Structures are given as C-alpha cells and as structure tokens.
C-alpha cells in the first residue's frame, strides 16, 4: 500500500482500501481508476450516487464506495 | 393476455411476423430470452445470442475489477443499444439485497425493466417467495418493471401480479439443472390465470423442453445453461430459436385431440 500522505482521504472501494487527494469527487475517483462513467454505477455509503451528480459530490474520509457494471449472468 | 396476432386465415406467413409479445409497454418479436453466463468467452456469447435471435439478454450486476479496469466488458461484445439488457439479482438471498442490486442496475443501465429473483438456498436455488413478494412490491412502487422468477404456483403468481410484477417467470426445474418442465399442470394453470406475460425461466435442457413450455401457452422462455453448456452452443442457440417458434406455432395452431386407439389416415373406401 502507498505510504500515507498528510490530508489524503482513506476510502473503501469495492472492499479494498484506497487513498485519494482531499477535495476529490466521485467523478475524479472513477477517472483515476480508468473507468468509463457511462458504463458503471456508483453507490456511496449504501446510497446511489446518480451519474449526473458524480462531479459534484466531494468524497469524505471513510467513505465506502461500490462501483458496479454489467457482467454475464443468467 | 398481451399477445398480438392478426387474422391467420389467408396469410399465415405474415401472421407469423406479426406474432409479437409485449412486456411493460415494450414489444418484442423473439420469445426467447437468453442468459450471458457460463460461456467460454464474450465472442462465443455474442455469437450464441445472434444465433438464438434473442432480443433480450439477462445480465448480472457485479463489482468492477478495479485492479484491471481495461479487462474486456460484456458491453463491448453485446451492444445494449441493440439488445435489451435485463439486469438480474442472481445471488441475492434477501429482498434488501435484490432491491439494492436493481437500484444500481437502473443507474448503470438507465432503464427500469429488470429481472427479480430472490433465492431461498444455494443447493436448489429455489425462490424464496416471501422475500420475492416483498422486493417486488417495493420495486414496483419505485417505478421498476420487475419480471419475476418464481415458484410454479398459480397462487404465488397471482400474488406477484397484485404487487406489480410485469411478467411471471416460473421455474420449469431448478436453475442450471436441465431437467425440463417438471410440472406442466401448474405452468398451464399460471398461464391461464395470468394477465401479464408468463415465461418459463430455468430448467430447460434441450430444444423439446422449450417447445413444451411454448405449447403450454407461455409467452416466452428464458434460458442460459442449456445453450452455454451444450457441446456446440451456437447450434443449440439456433435449435432453441426454432423450438420456441415451433412450440409457439403449435400452441396457436391448436393441437389435435388425443385418441386411445388408432385412426387411419388413408381412406378405407376404394380398397382393392
């Protein structure tokens, strides 16, 4: 794991710890992961984060995020 | 029922083309819905969907692999603009899990037509109807159009309709078992009592099973393993397409009555 930089936020993303710069939004997180926001859905602290608002929602220390997409299934 | 069928007396060919079905205001020509699990790769999966003629595919909602975001995605192979994605709740054992999953699915896809299944136990993957009914009611109130995997019980089917199910999808046999339609009587009773489309979901193993479901009057059939685990999935996909069409035509044609003994097809008069 990357060493801690003062002020960084500690998130849980899809069950894994992840650090991000303070002030980052959900859209910043999605972009930093290399994901196309049009193909995923995001839940923040058990609530849906609507796609249209991803760039407006600043992340907070301790946030738990789930980022999902469609996979093969029956 | 929601079937649309024009007068077949003069032009059976044209009538076959007009035999569409409608669920939650969406009209489809193909009565076969296929899953997208268990395939060797996305390319084989896409080819099987093409061969099946399906216009709807079921998909699951899962975490993105954040350590490998460039891994191929289903949407790169099966275009959601051309094929309707029907997000499922496979793996959910409570109403709350299923509702949470479908809220995410709606956000990911942008549409409200979904497949609800709430499972009771891993061994049989039999539906938990108490949780299924609870989830269906909440989802319908939130504006979802839930197509619901359920037990082959005409009373449960009625109850689902009352709480907003847009399609009733009884199992023919346990998911992935390939055992065929085990209870033709209950499936027929569900079909006769329903005011929404009825699709057999799960249990189909081979083409004749799909034809049986359609001959019972079902509006469609949903399957995954029967195609994905066939030795030649593409050929089985085509077989299922033909079986669903054949079973549907046989249902519409109205089968002959059965007799206990033989009845000759050639005239008895004029024998030498």
């Amino acid at each position: 794991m990357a060493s801690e930089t003062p002020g960084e936020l500690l998130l849980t993303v899809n069950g894994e710890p992840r650090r991000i710069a303070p002030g980052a939004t959900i859209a910043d997180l999605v972009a930093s992961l290399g994901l196309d926001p049009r193909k995923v859905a995001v839940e923040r602290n058990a609530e849906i984060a609507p796609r249209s608002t991803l760039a407006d929602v600043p992340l907070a220390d301790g946030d738990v995020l789930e980022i999902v997409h469609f996979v093969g299934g029956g | 029922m929601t079937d649309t069928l024009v007068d077949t007396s003069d032009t059976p060919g044209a009538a076959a083309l007009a035999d569409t079905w409608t669920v939650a205001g969406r009209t489809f020509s193909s009565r076969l819905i296929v899953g997208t699990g268990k395939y060797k790769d996305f390319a084989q999966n896409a080819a099987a969907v093409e061969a099946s003629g399906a216009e709807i595919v079921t998909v699951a909602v899962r975490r993105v692999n954040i350590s490998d975001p460039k891994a191929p995605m289903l949407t790169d192979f099966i275009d959601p603009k051309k094929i309707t994605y029907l997000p499922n709740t496979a793996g959910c054992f409570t109403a709350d899990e299923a509702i949470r999953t479908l809220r995410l699915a709606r956000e990911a896809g942008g549409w409200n037509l979904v497949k609800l299944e709430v499972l009771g136990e891993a061994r049989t993957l039999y539906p938990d109807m108490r949780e299924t009914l609870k989830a269906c009611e909440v989802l319908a109130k939130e504006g979802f159009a839930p197509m619901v995997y359920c037990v082959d019980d005409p009373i449960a089917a009625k109850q689902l309709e009352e709480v907003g199910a847009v399609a009733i999808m009884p199992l023919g046999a346990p998911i992935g078992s390939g055992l065929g339609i085990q209870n033709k009587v209950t499936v027929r009773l569900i079909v006769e009592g329903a005011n929404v489309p009825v699709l057999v979901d799960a249990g189909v193993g081979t083409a004749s099973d799909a034809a049986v479901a359609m001959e019972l009057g079902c509006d469609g059939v949903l399957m995954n393993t029967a195609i994905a685990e066939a030795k030649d999935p593409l050929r089985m996909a085509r077989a299922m397409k033909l079986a669903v069409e054949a079973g549907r035509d046989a249902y519409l044609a109205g089968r002959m009555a059965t007799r206990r003994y033989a009845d000759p097809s050639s005239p008895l008069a004029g024998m030498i």
Side-chain angles (χ1 to χ4, degrees):
Chain A
M1 229 166 78
S3 62
E4 196 172 343
T5 309
E8 274 194 330
L9 310 175
L10 179 60
L11 313 172
T12 303
V13 181
N14 288 0
E16 294 175 19
R18 198 134 197 132
R19 293 182 186 283
I20 198 160
T25 64
I26 297 180
D28 295 331
L29 172 69
V30 169
S32 77
L33 294 169
L35 299 169
D36 179 347
R38 291 167 304 174
K39 290 182 177 175
V40 301
V42 183
E43 189 193 74
R44 176 181 179 238
N45 300 330
E47 296 220 351
I48 296 286
R51 187 173 293 143
S52 57
T53 68
L54 295 187
D56 308 328
V57 182
L59 291 160
D61 196 50
D63 275 354
V64 177
L65 295 119
E66 293 289 344
I67 306 176
V68 303
H69 67 154
F70 293 131
V71 303
Chain B
M1 293 302 300
T2 51
D3 298 330
T4 310
L5 194 70
V6 298
D7 178 11
T8 62
S9 51
D10 297 329
T11 52
L17 288 176
D19 179 33
T20 59
W21 67 289
T22 301
V23 59
R26 296 159 188 251
T27 299
F28 298 96
S29 302
S30 170
R31 292 172 180 273
L32 176 57
I33 299 178
V34 297
T36 54
K38 299 182 175 174
Y39 286 94
K40 189 182 72 184
D41 52 37
F42 285 131
Q44 185 194 58
N45 190 342
V49 171
E50 173 89 31
S52 75
E55 296 166 312
I56 305 176
V57 297
T58 57
V59 295
V61 179
R62 293 292 182 268
R63 284 173 166 171
V64 170
N65 181 357
I66 54 174
S67 57
D68 186 12
K70 295 298 172 204
M73 284 187 175
L74 183 67
T75 44
D76 299 332
F77 291 82
I78 299 171
D79 185 353
K81 291 191 183 70
K82 292 180 185 147
I83 302 281
T84 298
Y85 273 35
L86 184 67
N88 70 21
T89 58
C92 292
F93 286 82
T94 65
D96 287 345
E97 286 169 11
I99 293 163
R100 183 183 178 198
T101 299
L102 291 177
R103 284 176 183 152
L104 277 164
R106 178 159 69 176
E107 186 57 28
W111 52 82
N112 60 4
L113 188 66
V114 294
K115 172 181 163 180
L116 171 66
E117 58 181 294
V118 186
L119 304 170
E121 61 171 7
R123 188 171 63 91
T124 60
L125 298 179
Y126 217 70
D128 180 330
M129 289 312 298
R130 188 172 54 185
E131 291 295 301
T132 301
L133 280 158
K134 205 193 299 178
C136 185
E137 186 164 13
V138 171
L139 289 165
K141 283 184 179 149
E142 289 187 15
F144 285 90
M147 301 174 69
V148 187
Y149 166 68
C150 59
V151 292
D152 56 342
D153 169 354
I155 307 304
K158 273 278 145 215
Q159 291 167 340
L160 280 172
E161 238 186 90
E162 285 162 14
V163 296
V166 299
I168 306 295
M169 304 206 290
L171 48 72
I175 293 172
S177 70
L179 287 168
I181 316 299
Q182 291 296 300
N183 201 333
K184 293 197 271 188
V185 175
T186 50
V187 171
R188 175 177 59 78
L189 291 175
I190 291 171
V191 168
E192 287 174 2
N195 298 302
V196 296
V198 176
L199 297 89
V200 161
D201 176 2
V204 166
T206 189
S208 53
D209 300 333
V212 166
M214 296 309 294
E215 286 171 14
L216 290 170
C218 289
D219 296 271
V221 182
L222 194 163
M223 67 181 73
N224 190 150
T225 312
I227 296 174
E229 287 189 0
K231 288 193 177 64
D232 182 345
L234 266 57
R235 187 169 283 259
M236 187 59 89
R238 193 175 72 112
M240 291 301 185
K241 170 188 159 68
L242 297 172
V244 166
E245 289 172 4
R248 175 66 182 168
D249 265 347
Y251 171 71
L252 292 175
R255 62 153 297 150
M256 62 168 281
T258 55
R259 296 185 179 90
R260 288 173 67 83
Y261 300 101
D263 183 55
S265 296
S266 302
L268 297 176
M271 288 283 294
I272 53 169

